[in-house]
Amino acid sequence: MPKPTSTRHLIVVLGDQLNADSSAFTGFDPKRDCVWMAEVHQESTHIWSSKQRIALFISAMRHFAKQLEEAKVPLHYSALEDSDNTQSLDGELLRAIKTLRPQTLIMTAPGDWRVLEKIKGVAKQTNTPIEIREDEYFFSTVRDFAQHRKGRKQIRLEYWYRELRKKHTILMEGDQPVGGEWNYDHDNRSAFSKAGPPPIPAPLRFKPDAISSAVIQLVNQRFADHPGELAPTSEGFGWPVKRADALLVLADFMKNRLPLYGQFQDAMWTNETWLFHAHIASSLNLKLLSAQEVVAAAQIEFTKGRAPITAVEGFIRQILGWREYVRGIYWTQMPSYLEQNALNASAPLPAFFWDGKTTMQCLQQTITQSLSTGYAHHIQRLMVTGLYTLLLGVNPKEVHAWYLSMYVDAVEWVELPNVIGMSQFADGGLMASKPYIATGKYIDRMSNYCKTCIYKPDQSHGKDACPMTTLYWDFLMRHESSMSKNPRMVLQVRNLNRMTDETKQAIQSQAKQHRTALIS
């Protein structure tokens, strides 16, 4: 459909806003309005994005553009390979404004503070009014979260989650939670038996269509030096890139894996990537799915008796609770949140994070999997890669850049708080009440990684010592003063103080050797 000769509204659609019913489209008139979308090199290189992540965003954008064109929606689209593409969001938006001369820019609130500032900057530069509308694919608004924070010394997930449960009548019986408990986390920490996981239904993966195949070829050519692997097969790239496929993935999870999701959500196993997880985070964050329909689907499984309350509540808490919580943290703390470094961590990210070449089996498994699929589940992220960088003392901005680069579901509003606040404790306890630290024995308990590893998780020094265990005690020694003031860390500090000076010195020496080996 031809673009309007005189544009009233230019609808700005970003790569993570691929829903035709978004607030930006309210009042859309195809005779007077036009949609703007742009693929640009800069968005894949401001951090060194993995091939999987780049391919997912571009393919999903192209599928959405095709959907708009089939609906005869006027569209101004910049493809990555266009010869006149400036390769920056602000450059492409500036070009479109000069061509279309819209009276107003309209957009749904973005998920990235940096991108919002770029778009506002172009609007100011061109004297074009801009209207930013609420993202209706969340249960709450940033203003709701800011109001919740008022008068509280601490902000904690549990209270925000309960507030939203009540407000939206989710898993509630009157004013009480179904089953009598708000949280079944204590029932959802099981490891697999020594024999391994029960039969795991294979997740739904999609063979790349013509659009995705072309994108894969483009990414492999233009971003050949970027991390990760990318092949035009369902094993090499099987993510949903359009809403119809995202709905199929959601239905597949509800039917085949949700019943055991809760029990085994923290478990890990060698060469088992997918386990009982949902694999819908990328679809949620691209807005191929809404939070409301995902939660509704899970609640139906419980009311129909097809999934236990422990699994359903645990899953819903991730969507209704955690996802809304980290969004509130992000938008009420930016832009200063990106600079948080409460533990003064300054070590560089180890080089093996980009190729998985390490003798530590837990890290080798998690990083290699991440590079080949663009995916790792939350415990692999928090208690393997995140735990290691926290204990090692890596600069949190480098850790943030790695996670944002690596994962297909990484959009900054959700990734940054998870890294800065939850994983690295770099905000000093704003988001989480304690640093999530453990020895290698935690990983041994929750996986079989240690069974084939050259290191022993119960040893903190000596030739067979597990680096996780060594670095755990070294971390406590380095931060003993601040950790001793944290009520939730008192027991761990007491255990440290039971050690002899000789043992402490041996651990510190081992930790130093480990750090030296990383840069040699």
Side-chain angles (χ1 to χ4, degrees):
M1 184 173 182
K3 301 177 183 63
T5 54
S6 177
T7 306
R8 180 185 65 156
H9 297 155
L10 184 60
I11 312 302
V12 174
V13 174
L14 302 173
D16 60 344
Q17 299 178 328
L18 307 181
N19 50 319
D21 60 347
S22 78
S23 59
F25 285 98
T26 300
F28 184 84
D29 183 349
K31 294 180 180 180
R32 296 187 292 167
D33 302 333
C34 183
V35 175
W36 174 83
M37 297 176 69
E39 305 166 10
V40 296
H41 190 84
Q42 184 186 63
E43 290 304 297
S44 298
T45 56
H46 79 278
I47 53 100
W48 198 35
S49 289
S50 70
K51 293 172 186 172
Q52 286 276 336
R53 184 174 185 267
I54 298 170
L56 176 62
F57 272 80
I58 294 179
S59 180
M61 288 175 69
R62 292 189 180 189
H63 280 89
F64 186 66
K66 180 182 178 183
Q67 175 187 333
L68 294 178
E69 289 171 343
E70 289 175 346
K72 301 189 182 306
V73 173
L75 175 65
H76 186 99
Y77 194 95
S78 298
L80 192 68
E81 59 269 46
D82 289 348
S83 59
D84 54 355
N85 191 324
T86 63
Q87 302 301 341
S88 70
L89 276 181
D90 43 354
E92 286 307 282
L93 182 56
L94 187 60
R95 278 205 314 135
I97 290 173
K98 287 180 178 179
T99 299
L100 300 173
R101 299 188 178 280
Q103 298 172 23
T104 307
L105 297 179
I106 293 179
M107 69 181 305
T108 296
D112 189 319
W113 185 87
R114 175 188 58 86
V115 169
L116 176 59
E117 291 302 297
K118 278 180 174 287
I119 293 170
K120 287 165 64 176
V122 172
K124 183 177 181 180
Q125 179 182 344
T126 58
N127 293 313
T128 308
I130 182 169
E131 180 183 339
I132 300 172
R133 297 176 176 175
E134 288 290 352
D135 191 334
E136 297 170 348
Y137 268 37
F138 292 92
F139 281 92
S140 62
T141 68
V142 176
R143 288 189 299 276
D144 291 337
F145 186 80
Q147 184 63 36
H148 171 82
R149 282 193 60 200
K150 283 185 178 179
R152 295 176 186 267
K153 293 181 180 179
Q154 295 179 322
I155 43 175
R156 294 291 177 254
L157 165 68
E158 186 64 25
Y159 303 110
W160 175 237
Y161 170 55
R162 292 183 187 187
E163 185 176 306
L164 292 179
R165 286 266 299 269
K166 293 175 183 177
K167 181 178 180 179
H168 297 282
T169 319
I170 294 170
L171 295 180
M172 297 294 294
E173 293 178 335
D175 61 354
Q176 295 300 310
V178 169
E181 295 188 52
W182 290 101
N183 186 317
Y184 290 88
D185 194 42
H186 51 80
D187 295 321
N188 289 340
R189 297 171 179 167
S190 297
F192 298 126
S193 70
K194 291 182 179 180
I200 304 169
L204 191 60
R205 303 278 286 173
F206 301 94
K207 182 180 179 180
D209 61 9
I211 292 175
S212 291
S213 296
V215 168
I216 289 168
Q217 183 178 7
L218 176 68
V219 171
N220 280 327
Q221 290 173 346
R222 294 183 72 110
F223 303 97
D225 63 337
H226 281 235
E229 303 165 15
L230 187 62
T233 64
S234 58
E235 293 79 17
F237 182 82
W239 297 105
V241 291
K242 52 189 177 182
R243 174 165 168 76
D245 290 345
L247 288 168
L248 291 175
V249 170
L250 176 63
D252 176 71
F253 168 66
M254 293 297 162
K255 178 181 179 181
N256 295 316
R257 295 187 305 284
L258 176 62
L260 288 178
Y261 163 81
Q263 182 180 357
F264 295 123
Q265 65 175 300
D266 288 0
M268 300 173 282
W269 200 258
T270 300
N271 298 327
E272 287 287 356
T273 299
W274 308 111
L275 300 173
F276 292 96
H277 291 266
H279 322 127
I280 61 168
S282 63
S283 295
L284 274 165
N285 294 347
L286 292 173
K287 307 299 165 51
L288 300 179
L289 296 173
S290 74
Q292 292 89 341
E293 68 187 332
V294 169
V295 168
Q299 193 162 222
I300 287 171
E301 294 305 299
F302 173 70
T303 58
K304 296 287 188 181
R306 296 192 290 252
I309 185 63
T310 50
V312 173
E313 186 281 321
F315 176 74
I316 286 177
R317 187 170 0 109
Q318 298 302 314
I319 310 299
L320 177 68
W322 192 251
R323 194 166 178 270
E324 305 277 330
Y325 181 63
V326 297
R327 179 172 179 252
I329 293 283
Y330 178 83
W331 283 106
T332 58
Q333 299 302 311
M334 284 298 282
S336 62
Y337 201 68
L338 181 59
E339 306 300 327
Q340 297 295 303
N341 190 358
L343 299 177
N344 296 314
S346 59
L349 186 75
F352 69 74
F353 267 67
W354 299 107
D355 59 23
K357 294 178 181 178
T358 173
T359 53
M360 298 177 66
Q361 185 72 357
C362 58
L363 285 165
Q364 189 275 335
Q365 281 280 318
T366 300
I367 294 171
T368 300
Q369 169 190 314
S370 301
L371 288 164
S372 63
T373 65
Y375 171 80
H377 76 64
H378 65 282
I379 292 299
Q380 290 176 307
R381 299 189 203 192
L382 177 64
M383 298 304 295
V384 179
T385 50
L387 173 63
Y388 179 76
T389 54
L390 173 60
L391 298 179
L392 188 65
V394 176
N395 186 312
K397 286 186 76 171
E398 290 196 34
V399 183
H400 149 65
W402 185 80
Y403 279 94
L404 189 58
S405 161
M406 194 58 51
Y407 294 112
V408 295
D409 54 36
V411 180
E412 194 175 85
W413 67 264
V414 66
E415 174 274 326
L416 185 64
N418 270 301
V419 172
I420 296 295
M422 184 71 170
S423 172
Q424 302 303 294
F425 201 67
D427 65 6
L430 173 71
M431 182 175 171
S433 58
K434 65 181 287 290
Y436 279 81
I437 61 171
T439 69
K441 289 191 286 188
Y442 171 84
I443 296 172
D444 190 30
R445 184 168 71 252
M446 297 307 301
S447 75
N448 70 336
Y449 293 158
C450 301
K451 301 297 184 291
T452 55
C453 189
I454 63 173
Y455 303 111
K456 307 301 181 188
D458 60 346
Q459 295 184 25
S460 60
H461 56 94
K463 65 180 181 67
D464 295 330
C466 172
M468 289 287 197
T469 303
T470 302
L471 292 170
Y472 167 84
W473 293 111
D474 179 70
F475 176 93
L476 284 177
M477 282 184 263
R478 288 187 291 115
H479 299 289
E480 182 178 359
S481 177
S482 61
M483 293 299 108
S484 63
K485 298 172 185 175
N486 186 320
R488 295 192 65 194
M489 294 296 297
V490 169
L491 180 60
Q492 288 165 290
V493 174
R494 283 178 184 167
N495 290 334
L496 171 68
N497 291 332
R498 293 189 181 101
M499 286 184 173
T500 65
D501 289 343
E502 182 180 15
T503 299
K504 289 180 181 180
Q505 289 171 6
I507 290 171
Q508 289 175 317
S509 176
Q510 184 104 10
K512 184 178 180 180
Q513 290 175 23
H514 181 77
R515 289 188 170 89
T516 300
L518 291 173
I519 58 176
S520 61

